Amino acid sequence: MNKAILSEAVQDYLRQHQDAQAADMALRKSPFTSVSSSELAQQIDGRQRAAKKIAPWTLVPGIYYPEKLSLEQCSSVETGNFKASLIQAGSKLIDLTGGFGVDSFYFASSATKVWHCERNEALAEIVAHNFQTLGLENISCHAGDGIALLQGSKERFDYIYSDPSRRVQQQKVFRLQDCEPNIVEHQALFFSKARCIISKLAPLLDISLALQTLQHVKEVYVLSVQNDCKELLFVQEQGYEGDVQVHAVRLLPQGQQTFSFSYAEEQAAESSFGPVDAYLYDPDVALTKAGAFKSLGHKLGINKLHPHTHLYTSPDLLPDFPGRRFEVIAVHPLRSLKKGLGLRKANVISKNFPLRVEDIRKKFKIADGGDDFLFFCSLQSGEHVAIQAIRLPEE
């Protein structure tokens, strides 16, 4: 950490050039003898990345930005706030894999005390400076391995939080046991130090496999922002042996929308099928990742088009459906498409259909864009169709 970057002159320069291209800045000669052009570029790039995830931080003078990988991996305002809502006020939490400190920052808004652990000493120094700049007095920063700190601590915590790295020795890993730290291996240690464990896991992780390896899982949260699955959160509670509650959570500008179920409910639920009706529904990625394929239609009382076509339909508009809602314009049997739809441009979606989107566009000469949506899919009868629809705004 180059403290010369924090001088008033350098900070003024960075504010004046906050919208500059970082790559261009790196090629210029630095106007400061104690700060290189690459360091200036890193601060500009970091601020621009932070503006997309943690915009309130960029309004605070003197925030120091690390290398881009730390910002790429950090949480956003939306996901940070949500995680803070999972812990009780006045509790004590240790963040074993602190990183840039965004999660610790939001946990500190609820917890009495937060311990932030980071193995990268340079990053740990940056985080400690930023917490001080942000005026946080209830976070204790530790430069070192979080597991080692936990093993040597006599402290008992209410929560242990970790975000295991999916990149080990420059290689991506996919099994939970291969991530660092290995939270499967350390479960006994964790439960000897805390009553509750919260783990942030990769969106690509197989939820069912994780449930086979993690003990006492009480809840699983699947978080999405703008129909993009951002995080999986596994909450383990000491001694819990009941059904796992799964929550598909859409983090929206106007708040959040949650659909909850258990896998026992999903297994017992029976889908009802029917033809395409006046309205069509495309569930948010949080629902599909969570595996709410039958329980969604069952709980909402709407028909599905096919067991493997995850689209739903109803004669009357369902205003609070957790996903995109469409008004159906027409249903085109595949055989009639050979004559052309008369649509030169549309948003094409392939669901349980033998052709990929790019192949559909090429075959039927449909450009991307416009107001029309075309869902190429299979119906319960086995017929292949294209459903033409207009998207309805979120309420």
Side-chain angles (χ1 to χ4, degrees):
M1 178 175 174
N2 183 356
K3 293 184 178 180
I5 288 174
L6 301 173
S7 69
E8 187 175 345
V10 175
Q11 289 292 303
D12 285 342
Y13 181 85
L14 290 171
R15 277 192 292 273
Q16 292 167 15
H17 295 83
Q18 62 186 20
D19 297 321
Q21 293 290 328
D24 294 341
M25 180 65 68
L27 297 175
R28 298 181 193 173
K29 182 180 178 181
S30 172
F32 308 101
T33 56
S34 54
V35 181
S36 68
S37 57
S38 61
E39 287 175 318
L40 293 173
Q42 177 178 307
Q43 293 305 303
I44 289 171
D45 178 71
R47 188 187 186 284
Q48 291 170 356
R49 290 177 186 274
K52 298 175 183 177
K53 280 189 167 185
I54 45 171
W57 287 33
T58 65
L59 303 178
V60 179
I63 292 293
Y64 196 108
Y65 299 100
E67 294 180 354
K68 66 178 183 179
L69 182 61
S70 298
L71 285 159
E72 288 173 348
Q73 295 176 338
C74 77
S75 294
S76 64
V77 171
E78 296 91 344
T79 58
N81 269 321
F82 181 82
K83 276 172 280 197
S85 73
L86 298 181
I87 70 170
Q88 291 182 358
S91 55
K92 295 187 294 185
L93 178 145
I94 183 169
D95 184 346
L96 299 178
T97 53
F100 188 44
V102 175
D103 285 328
S104 289
F105 171 84
Y106 285 102
F107 282 132
S109 66
S110 294
T112 298
K113 181 71 179 290
V114 173
W115 285 258
H116 173 279
C117 307
E118 174 51 50
R119 292 190 300 180
N120 183 323
E121 290 187 8
L123 180 57
E125 183 184 10
I126 290 171
V127 171
H129 160 78
N130 286 342
F131 285 161
Q132 185 177 18
T133 303
L134 290 164
L136 294 174
E137 298 180 353
N138 61 333
I139 299 183
S140 177
C141 293
H142 298 269
D145 181 72
I147 297 293
L149 176 67
L150 195 64
Q151 289 170 330
S153 175
K154 295 181 180 179
E155 188 79 48
R156 180 153 181 93
F157 308 93
D158 296 301
Y159 300 92
I160 292 174
Y161 173 76
S162 70
D163 176 9
S165 174
R166 273 78 71 183
R167 189 170 291 278
V168 179
Q169 296 179 349
Q170 308 303 315
Q171 298 291 322
K172 255 193 170 182
V173 296
F174 299 95
R175 294 196 322 152
L176 188 55
Q177 298 92 321
D178 296 329
C179 297
E180 289 185 351
N182 183 342
I183 63 172
V184 177
E185 178 184 56
H186 292 297
Q187 288 179 90
L189 169 66
F190 292 169
F191 280 125
S192 73
K193 299 290 185 178
R195 63 177 178 81
C196 187
I197 304 165
I198 303 175
S199 302
K200 170 187 168 182
L201 305 179
L204 292 177
L205 183 78
D206 187 313
I207 295 176
S208 61
L209 288 179
L211 290 175
Q212 292 174 23
T213 57
L214 294 177
Q215 304 167 0
H216 310 304
V217 178
K218 184 177 183 180
E219 295 175 296
V220 175
Y221 293 87
V222 183
L223 307 186
S224 75
V225 178
Q226 295 181 349
N227 204 26
D228 182 12
C229 187
K230 294 296 186 181
E231 297 178 7
L232 304 181
L233 300 174
F234 283 68
V235 179
Q236 298 167 260
E237 187 175 285
Q238 195 169 42
Y240 182 78
E241 299 293 348
D243 286 341
V244 179
Q245 288 298 304
V246 185
H247 310 281
V249 183
R250 303 174 71 209
L251 299 177
L252 304 166
Q254 64 270 32
Q256 66 186 52
Q257 184 181 26
T258 303
F259 182 86
S260 300
F261 67 103
S262 71
Y263 287 127
E265 290 174 330
E266 173 67 18
Q267 189 172 10
E270 292 187 7
S271 296
S272 59
F273 302 96
V276 182
D277 226 315
Y279 297 97
L280 187 73
Y281 308 97
D282 184 15
D284 187 270
V285 66
L287 279 294
T288 54
K289 176 62 186 180
F293 300 120
K294 295 189 296 181
S295 51
L296 177 61
H298 180 75
K299 284 190 174 184
L300 298 183
I302 53 179
N303 290 333
K304 200 174 184 184
L305 298 188
H306 182 281
H308 303 298
T309 302
H310 304 310
L311 293 170
Y312 302 80
T313 190
S314 68
D316 300 310
L317 180 62
L318 200 66
D320 56 352
F321 181 83
R324 299 188 297 177
R325 305 170 307 139
F326 299 84
E327 182 177 358
V328 175
I329 304 302
V331 180
H332 304 279
L334 192 61
R335 60 182 178 273
S336 70
L337 297 183
K338 296 177 181 179
K339 301 176 183 177
L341 272 171
L343 283 176
R344 295 182 179 180
K345 183 183 288 188
N347 301 281
V348 175
I349 298 167
S350 179
K351 295 257 188 179
N352 189 27
F353 192 78
L355 296 178
R356 298 175 302 171
V357 169
E358 53 266 37
D359 297 325
I360 293 171
R361 290 193 180 285
K362 184 176 180 181
K363 182 173 181 178
F364 298 107
K365 298 180 175 58
I366 304 171
D368 187 25
D371 295 328
D372 288 281
F373 282 75
L374 284 174
F375 288 87
F376 285 75
C377 62
S378 303
L379 301 182
Q380 171 69 352
S381 63
E383 182 182 12
H384 291 150
V385 298
I387 304 171
Q388 184 179 350
I390 299 293
R391 185 177 178 183
L392 299 173
E394 293 266 2
E395 294 186 355

